[in-house]
Amino acid sequence: MTAWTNWAGTATAHPQRVHRPRSDAELAETVTRIAVDGRTVRPRGSGHSFSHIAATDSDAIDLSAWTGIVAADTGTGRVTVRAGTTLRALNADLDRLGLAMTNLGDIDAQTIAGAISTGTHGTGARYGGISTQVAELELVLADGSVTRCSSRRRPDLFAAARVGLGALGVISTVTLMCEPAFALDAREYPAPLGQVLEGFDESAADNDHFEFYWFPYGSKALVKCNNRLPVGSTTAPLSRFRQLVDYEVVENAAFGALCRIGRAVPRSVRPLGRAASSVLSARAYSDVSYRVFVTHRAVRFVESEFAVPREALHGVLAELRALVPKLHDPVAFPVEVRVAAADDIWLSTAYRRDTAYVAVHQFVGMPYRKYFAEFAAIAGAAGGRPHWGKMHDLDAVSLRERYPRFDDFLRVRKEVDPTGVFTNDYLDRVLGPAG
Ligand SMILES: Cc1cc2nc3c(=O)[nH]c(=O)nc-3n(C[C@H](O)[C@H](O)[C@H](O)COP(=O)(O)OP(=O)(O)OC[C@H]3O[C@@H](n4cnc5c(N)ncnc54)[C@H](O)[C@@H]3O)c2cc1C
């Protein structure tokens, strides 16, 4: 038995067996054996989900030996990659090929299969989450068979498996539509929250990748606008020294120290939050896309995120702003707001609606349950859909109401995994028991 815990320490498990396949054939053989023996199995990525989605006390499949690019067409941007490849490795490999992912989230530690399975996203009103870049998937199903799906081949399986929660099979390879490498111009600046909210629609429309962080107890938000530069533009990256100061010293070491003080002396959180909000500073630079999208997060936190219809954002934030000062326990981490374009993936949080994402966080070890529960109620009243990899308490009954194709997903699940080989407690809760 090998103990497993996720990045945030919010989920632990003791799998009976951990399998580490090194080939397609080994992967298929592993799944077949587990199914024949009547056990269950979870494929796992880098353990960066906050929820229990990857946890199992039965069999786990670790894909860290199943990595790398299998095929790449630099003309079309079509790239096939093994499921266990981390986004960090993928970004570097793509860059060497003169290619890049269209959009990315905040970090690059996730595996490509883990990222798409929970609907991982970045920001950008004209851009979808990572799963929208998927052109084809190869999966090992519960009976050990290997299948491929795309918009033409097994389209229902494709619509389900692009954000499949690891419930339909083990993704073996992911084929992505990438684009020629590009650079981003990054502008970050503090601004009064009221002003940011007033100009929100315009900013989301005018920038390729727009987001902001609101620091509870302060009056200011930190705005981030990343825009694509024309091909061939010269970039002005942050110097190594500035990176060290900004990311490692200010964002990680100093912020981490503030959080630790706040955890030890909770009454200091509100004044510290106000102080942090007032010393936010501006910065401008440009760099290769993935170096701008991705940041290093060393300070551990817990997180819940809901996707709400874009037009509901102002109401949701107004209620959240009213809630935070009333909470008994203070909030040490900022609220992050992002946007995404509607897509057609059945369990995508942006399914058929232009979306605003609101993410609430708390420093590890500080009380968060009441905060997250009240936030979930606010977002839920606006039809909010929880990120599958982040913390929430919803079950299949309430999720069915929020996903028009929920029953189609269950139909596909029943077809490809009729006995629940891939289930765990989390899936039993959010999808209902398999079979
Ligand atoms: C610091 C931090 C920052 C984050 N930033 C963002 C962000 O900016 N945007 C965002 O949307 N999310 C973000 N997340 C959430 C994160 O992207 C997701 O939870 C993601 O799923 C984690 O990927 P992973 O490789 O760690 O997968 P895991 O958490 O290990 O697994 C996630 C799911 O994928 C399934 N899975 C893994 N491999 C396979 C496979 N081969 N076949 C089928 N299913 C598989 C697992 O069974 C599980 O259901 C962040 C998380 C952290 C900790």
Side-chain angles (χ1 to χ4, degrees):
M1 213 186 294
T2 327
W4 170 91
T5 185
N6 64 346
W7 178 86
T10 46
T12 49
H14 297 87
Q16 291 288 330
R17 296 161 208 85
V18 179
H19 310 270
R20 215 158 167 258
R22 292 171 182 279
S23 68
D24 257 341
E26 239 183 84
L27 178 57
E29 199 187 300
T30 304
V31 173
T32 309
R33 210 174 340 112
I34 291 167
V36 167
D37 291 350
R39 303 196 302 269
T40 59
V41 61
R42 292 300 286 159
R44 69 188 187 199
S46 306
H48 273 61
S49 293
F50 297 87
S51 64
H52 284 73
I53 191 166
T56 183
D57 287 338
S58 180
D59 289 49
I61 295 186
D62 170 348
L63 289 158
S64 57
W66 185 239
T67 60
I69 288 180
V70 182
D73 181 335
T74 50
T76 60
R78 200 178 155 95
V79 174
T80 299
V81 58
R82 294 189 188 95
T85 310
T86 61
L87 295 179
R88 186 173 307 144
L90 177 63
N91 290 333
D93 285 351
L94 289 177
D95 195 42
R96 277 191 283 277
L97 294 167
L99 296 171
M101 297 290 283
T102 301
N103 200 0
L104 288 165
D106 284 347
I107 58 158
D108 58 7
Q110 310 95 318
T111 59
I112 183 65
I116 65 169
S117 296
T118 60
T120 293
H121 63 89
T123 190
R126 291 181 291 277
Y127 299 94
I130 295 179
S131 296
T132 63
Q133 294 174 59
V134 175
E136 189 173 273
L137 292 172
E138 185 183 82
L139 289 137
V140 178
L141 302 181
D143 60 2
S145 63
V146 180
T147 192
R148 282 171 191 272
C149 61
S150 65
S151 58
R152 293 190 177 175
R153 194 169 175 172
R154 304 192 73 170
D156 276 11
L157 180 59
F158 187 60
R162 270 184 292 165
V163 179
L165 321 187
L168 306 174
V170 186
I171 298 167
S172 163
T173 63
V174 180
T175 300
L176 297 157
M177 287 311 298
C178 301
E179 53 180 290
F182 59 96
L184 286 169
D185 173 65
R187 283 179 202 270
E188 300 169 11
Y189 56 90
L193 178 64
Q195 194 181 307
V196 175
L197 289 174
E198 224 167 87
F200 180 79
D201 287 331
E202 222 176 330
S203 304
D206 289 352
N207 291 284
D208 290 326
H209 306 281
F210 168 76
E211 69 180 303
F212 72 87
Y213 291 86
W214 163 53
F215 288 72
Y217 316 118
S219 59
K220 289 207 188 126
L222 179 67
V223 179
K224 293 192 174 189
C225 300
N226 296 328
N227 285 292
R228 288 164 173 251
L229 287 169
V231 178
S233 301
T234 315
T235 56
L238 289 176
S239 67
R240 275 186 182 280
F241 178 71
R242 182 82 198 268
Q243 280 182 34
L244 182 78
V245 172
D246 286 12
Y247 294 124
E248 301 311 326
V249 179
V250 178
E251 286 184 19
N252 285 317
F255 185 57
L258 279 189
C259 289
R260 279 192 295 280
I261 295 170
R263 187 170 57 193
V265 190
R267 67 171 187 283
S268 68
V269 172
R270 290 177 183 89
L272 285 176
R274 270 192 292 278
S277 159
S278 66
V279 298
L280 293 170
S281 61
R283 107 181 130 186
Y285 65 99
S286 55
D287 208 336
V288 179
S289 58
Y290 66 93
R291 285 197 211 121
V292 175
F293 284 132
V294 167
T295 36
H296 174 223
R297 299 254 180 261
V299 184
R300 305 266 161 155
F301 56 87
V302 294
E303 177 173 354
S304 177
E305 180 176 57
F306 276 73
V308 298
R310 274 280 299 278
E311 58 280 10
L313 175 70
H314 291 279
V316 168
L317 279 183
E319 286 191 57
L320 190 58
R321 288 173 76 186
L323 166 73
V324 168
K326 286 193 237 149
L327 291 168
H328 175 266
D329 298 305
V331 177
F333 252 71
V335 173
E336 185 178 16
V337 177
R338 294 182 276 186
V339 288
D343 64 44
D344 62 353
I345 304 170
W346 292 349
L347 291 193
S348 162
T349 45
Y351 179 76
R352 293 274 159 92
R353 66 188 195 197
D354 287 334
T355 291
Y357 289 101
V358 182
V360 296
H361 312 79
Q362 179 66 296
F363 184 47
V364 279
M366 289 181 72
Y368 65 86
R369 286 183 202 285
K370 175 105 174 116
Y371 176 34
F372 284 13
E374 301 251 353
F375 166 62
I378 293 170
R385 298 168 178 161
H387 189 302
W388 297 106
K390 301 187 182 177
M391 301 175 88
H392 71 93
D393 292 327
L394 299 186
D395 62 14
V397 175
S398 42
L399 289 162
R400 174 180 276 113
E401 287 168 11
R402 302 179 197 202
Y403 284 93
R405 305 303 294 271
F406 195 79
D407 286 325
D408 288 308
F409 186 93
L410 295 190
R411 171 177 51 80
V412 170
R413 183 190 193 202
K414 200 166 182 172
E415 279 163 24
V416 295
D417 185 15
T419 60
V421 171
F422 294 111
T423 202
N424 66 355
D425 290 347
Y426 178 88
L427 293 190
D428 285 350
R429 188 185 99 216
V430 300
L431 297 177

